[in-house]
Amino acid sequence: MKVKKDLQVICFGAINLDLIFEIDEELALRLDIQPGYEYFKDKKELDSILYILQHEGILRYKGGGGSAANTAVALSRIGIKTGFIGMVGEDREGDLLLESLEGVDKKGIGRRGRSGIALSLLIKGERSIIIFPNANDTIRIDDIDIDYVESCDIIHFTSFAGGSSFNAQKYLLSKIRPEIKVSFDPGIIYAERGIDALLPILRRTDIFFPEEKEIEVLTKKMWRDGCLEILKIGPKVIVCTMGKEGSHIVTADNDFHVDAPDVSVVDTTGAGDVYAAGFLASYLNKKSLKESAIYATTLASRSITGFGRERYPEYKVKS
C-alpha cells in the first residue's frame, strides 16, 4: 500500500560538504587550478589537498552544499514542503549534512561510504571548485523508493558525476505519474554529456534551468538558438541564467529578460540553486513567469552577498 506523502517538491541530486577557502595565485598554480573552472578529483587526493588548504589557505565557510541540497534548503526556508533523494556517507560529515538540510524531509536519503566534499577556492575574487563526489555517485536504482515521490507536485533534478546515479534518475522518471512536474538543472557536467544522453530527462522536463554556457555546450549553438532547439524536445519553460546579466525566460509563446540588481558580491556559490528555488516556489503559488523570475532574481542576488548559505532566504519568505 502506498504511503501518502505531503511534499510539494522533492530534490534529487548531489549533497556535499562545502569548504570555501581563499587562496593566492601561487597556491593555485601549485594545485594546478585555474580560476573559473570545475574539477573532479580522485578520492585518494582528498586528504592531501585538504591538508595543504588547511595550512596555506583561509577557511571562509564550512557547511552543507550541493546543487540539489541548496535548492531544497532554500525551498524549505521559503515555506515549501520539500523532500530529498540522495546519499551521504556513514561519517561525521554525513551527520553534518543531514543536519544542514534543516526543515527538509530526509526519508529519501541513504548512507553509504564517505560523504561528498566540494572545495570552493576563491582566487582574487574568482571561484574554482574541486569536487570529490564519493557517496553521491553510488546511488542505485534499488535505492529509490517510488512511493516517496508519487504524491509530490514537482521533482527537481540536478547533476551527478557518475553513471549509476544518473541512471537512477532516468529510471525514476520512467516510473512516476505523468502528472508530476519535472524541473531540471543540468549543470555543466550533464551539459557535456550531450543532448542524446539527456533525452530521457529533457523529454519529460517541464521547467529547464540551464546556464547560458550550458545551453551552448549542450546544443553547440548560441544560447538563444539553443533554447529554441531544446524547446522542441520537451521543456515547456526554459530559464536561462546569465550571472550578473540576469536571466532570460523562453517558452513557445513568450520570451523576456529579467535584469539582476547590482550587489556587492562575496560568493556566487549556489546562486543558481537559490534562483531555482525562488522560481519553483512562485510557480507553485500560481504566479506568472515574469513574477516568478523577478522573485527568483531577488533571492539569488541576496544569496551572493554572503558565503555559502549565509544569505539564503529567511524562513517562510512569501513569493
Side-chain angles (χ1 to χ4, degrees):
M1 182 179 69
K2 293 184 178 180
V3 178
K4 179 69 176 176
K5 304 292 181 182
D6 189 23
L7 297 172
Q8 293 168 281
V9 180
I10 292 178
C11 298
F12 185 179
I15 176 170
N16 298 310
L17 177 66
D18 272 5
L19 299 172
I20 300 176
F21 288 93
E22 190 172 328
I23 67 173
D24 58 29
E25 292 176 287
E26 181 183 345
L27 181 52
L29 283 173
R30 285 168 47 203
L31 293 173
D32 195 23
I33 297 297
Q34 297 183 50
Y37 285 83
E38 192 169 280
Y39 300 87
F40 288 87
K41 297 280 190 178
D42 189 284
K43 59 185 178 182
K44 295 177 183 177
E45 300 180 67
L46 173 57
D47 291 328
S48 60
I49 293 175
L50 261 180
Y51 180 85
I52 293 170
L53 291 173
Q54 288 167 345
H55 285 79
E56 300 184 44
I58 301 172
L59 181 63
R60 294 299 190 188
Y61 176 85
K62 177 180 180 179
S67 182
N70 289 337
T71 297
V73 169
L75 281 165
S76 179
R77 289 190 181 188
I78 293 168
I80 300 298
K81 295 177 181 178
T82 308
F84 195 88
I85 297 173
M87 191 72 64
V88 300
E90 299 174 298
D91 48 23
R92 287 180 298 177
E93 289 78 13
D95 295 337
L96 186 153
L97 290 176
L98 291 175
E99 291 174 9
S100 75
L101 285 173
E102 302 174 10
V104 177
D105 185 273
K106 305 173 183 64
K107 295 183 182 70
I109 303 176
R111 304 196 70 165
R112 181 182 295 132
R114 187 172 186 178
S115 294
I117 305 286
L119 305 176
S120 292
L121 309 181
L122 303 178
I123 309 160
K124 295 190 70 173
E126 293 193 70
R127 178 176 63 103
S128 295
I129 303 178
I130 306 175
I131 299 175
F132 299 87
N134 297 335
N136 288 301
D137 282 349
T138 69
I139 300 173
R140 302 183 294 256
I141 289 172
D142 57 8
D143 289 321
I144 308 301
D145 180 0
I146 304 299
D147 290 349
Y148 182 68
V149 185
E150 272 296 285
S151 71
C152 77
D153 297 305
I154 298 174
I155 179 80
H156 178 69
F157 283 175
T158 67
S159 59
F160 290 102
S164 176
S165 300
F166 178 52
N167 289 335
Q169 288 178 323
K170 292 186 290 183
Y171 167 78
L172 177 60
L173 282 184
S174 72
K175 298 296 182 181
I176 60 175
R177 293 180 295 110
E179 294 83 5
I180 296 174
K181 301 292 186 182
V182 177
S183 167
F184 181 30
D185 180 351
I188 194 65
I189 308 171
Y190 276 9
E192 289 176 343
R193 287 179 178 266
I195 283 183
D196 288 346
L198 298 186
L199 280 177
I201 301 178
L202 286 172
R203 285 173 176 154
R204 184 66 174 78
T205 294
D206 295 279
I207 305 175
F208 188 44
F209 288 102
E211 293 182 2
E212 177 182 358
K213 178 183 177 182
E214 293 162 7
I215 284 284
E216 294 175 353
V217 168
L218 187 59
T219 65
K220 307 296 189 293
K221 296 181 178 181
M222 295 301 291
W223 70 268
R224 189 182 291 274
D225 290 335
C227 285
L228 295 176
E229 179 177 324
I230 291 174
L231 270 181
K232 299 174 184 177
I233 296 173
K236 310 299 186 298
V237 180
I238 297 180
V239 182
C240 183
T241 55
M242 301 174 168
K244 64 182 181 179
E245 302 301 322
S247 59
H248 203 92
I249 287 70
V250 182
T251 70
D253 53 11
N254 211 342
D255 184 329
F256 63 88
H257 190 86
V258 173
D259 290 326
D262 186 17
V263 298
S264 180
V265 178
V266 173
D267 175 27
T268 59
T269 306
D273 309 326
V274 174
Y275 185 107
F279 195 96
L280 292 175
S282 283
Y283 179 85
L284 285 166
N285 287 329
K286 310 299 182 184
K287 303 294 185 180
S288 70
L289 295 180
K290 188 69 170 282
E291 289 172 312
S292 298
I294 291 172
Y295 179 64
T297 300
T298 299
L299 295 188
S301 298
R302 184 188 304 160
S303 76
I304 65 177
T305 61
F307 287 109
R309 296 176 182 165
E310 289 175 348
R311 298 303 305 276
Y312 275 27
E314 300 298 331
Y315 283 98
K316 295 185 179 178
V317 174
K318 298 299 182 183
S319 62

